Amino acid sequence: MRIPNFLTDEGSILYKNTVGKQISPRVGDIVIEKLGKVICSDTHEVLDVACGPGTISLNLARKYPDIHITGIDASRAMIEQCHQVVEQEGLKNTSFMTMNANAIHFPNRSFDCVVCNLAFPFFSKPQESVKGIHDALKPGGTLLISVPGRNTWKEFFSIAEELTGGMPTFARPFLSKFDKAESLPAAMEAAGFIDLEITANPIPFHFERASEVLNFFQELFSLLNYVPDEIKTDVAEIIDSRFPNGFTMHYEAIIVQAKRPLS
């Protein structure tokens, strides 16, 4: 199992219908709520890095019509999805453009706030990306960035680990993303950010039956394509027997907030 390439046209549609539908909006709501405590009368420009189909950008534009939102993404297909919504809704306070997060190009000190939702573990050059974000912010500007926490889906993975005697092979792509996510605070400090605040936000996902859990993971990156049928059967039997009233597992959203120094 490998996580798809979301830069392709096919990958952008897959993202929109899976992570972009089931996970990213729920994490985005937390990011937007925290951003609302930062936005003030002096906030005019917000940048959404790796905006995807506009999960945060479009909602910010709707909620704050007096603030201009710029969304960038390396996928032309993702940006096209944003343009379609902007045209359909007649939004006047957005700009979307294709731009790789490894090479963010804006005049220095352009934005009051920058947000980045669940994209950092996918950056091929994370240090360059965070430095580019830092340089795009005005002095005193705020960055809010979300990444998946290591406790994500731990309730499910613990059952699979119990059956296989160790963390199953199909979980390794997730583990690699968790490893990369944990490097975020160090990358932010190296780029010059200060006043880091880190919060863990568990988001519950409830399923009535084990079959719904397996379907969820299958739809999400075809996670179970290479899992033997007997393992899937055993996992399902454990879930249904141990959790007769339904099974709840959590996505752990880690939100890191920081500032660019005033000088």
Side-chain angles (χ1 to χ4, degrees), residues 31 35 43-51 56-57 60 67-73 95-97 99 101 104-107 110-117 129 132-137 142-145:
V31 174
L35 187 64
T43 301
H44 305 292
E45 295 285 345
V46 176
L47 174 65
D48 184 3
V49 174
C51 64
I56 286 186
S57 306
L60 282 175
I67 294 174
H68 186 266
I69 318 297
T70 299
I72 62 171
D73 199 282
S95 300
F96 290 97
M97 63 192 74
M99 184 182 295
I104 297 174
H105 296 298
F106 288 104
S110 299
F111 296 95
D112 302 290
C113 300
V114 177
V115 295
C116 180
N117 191 32
S129 298
I133 291 172
H134 176 274
D135 292 345
L137 272 168
T142 299
L143 168 63
L144 276 167
I145 184 166

Side-chain angles (χ1 to χ4, degrees), residues 85-140:
V85 175
V86 167
E87 184 175 352
Q88 290 168 2
E89 298 187 15
L91 295 173
K92 303 299 184 182
N93 59 331
T94 63
S95 300
F96 290 97
M97 63 192 74
T98 304
M99 184 182 295
N100 196 305
N102 294 338
I104 297 174
H105 296 298
F106 288 104
N108 197 29
R109 306 181 177 189
S110 299
F111 296 95
D112 302 290
C113 300
V114 177
V115 295
C116 180
N117 191 32
L118 301 181
F120 176 81
F122 295 90
F123 294 161
S124 59
K125 298 179 180 179
Q127 288 79 14
E128 285 85 342
S129 298
V130 176
K131 183 62 168 62
I133 291 172
H134 176 274
D135 292 345
L137 272 168
K138 296 176 182 178

Side-chain angles (χ1 to χ4, degrees), residues 215-244:
N215 288 339
F216 173 82
F217 278 116
Q218 183 58 26
E219 292 175 2
L220 202 69
F221 309 143
S222 301
L223 178 65
L224 304 180
N225 272 357
Y226 306 104
V227 179
D229 288 340
E230 58 269 25
I231 295 294
K232 286 187 280 189
T233 298
D234 290 344
V235 168
E237 289 178 352
I238 288 177
I239 291 175
D240 283 336
S241 63
R242 293 183 184 176
F243 306 95

Side-chain angles (χ1 to χ4, degrees), residues 3 9 14 27 41 62 86 110 126-128 153 164 221 242:
I3 294 177
D9 290 355
L14 176 63
V27 179
S41 59
R62 299 178 186 113
V86 167
S110 299
Q127 288 79 14
E128 285 85 342
W153 315 135
T164 60
F221 309 143
R242 293 183 184 176

Side-chain angles (χ1 to χ4, degrees), residues 159 206-213 235-248:
I159 293 173
H206 183 77
F207 304 88
E208 294 298 327
R209 298 181 55 81
S211 59
E212 297 176 6
V213 180
V235 168
E237 289 178 352
I238 288 177
I239 291 175
D240 283 336
S241 63
R242 293 183 184 176
F243 306 95
N245 297 320
F247 179 70
T248 299

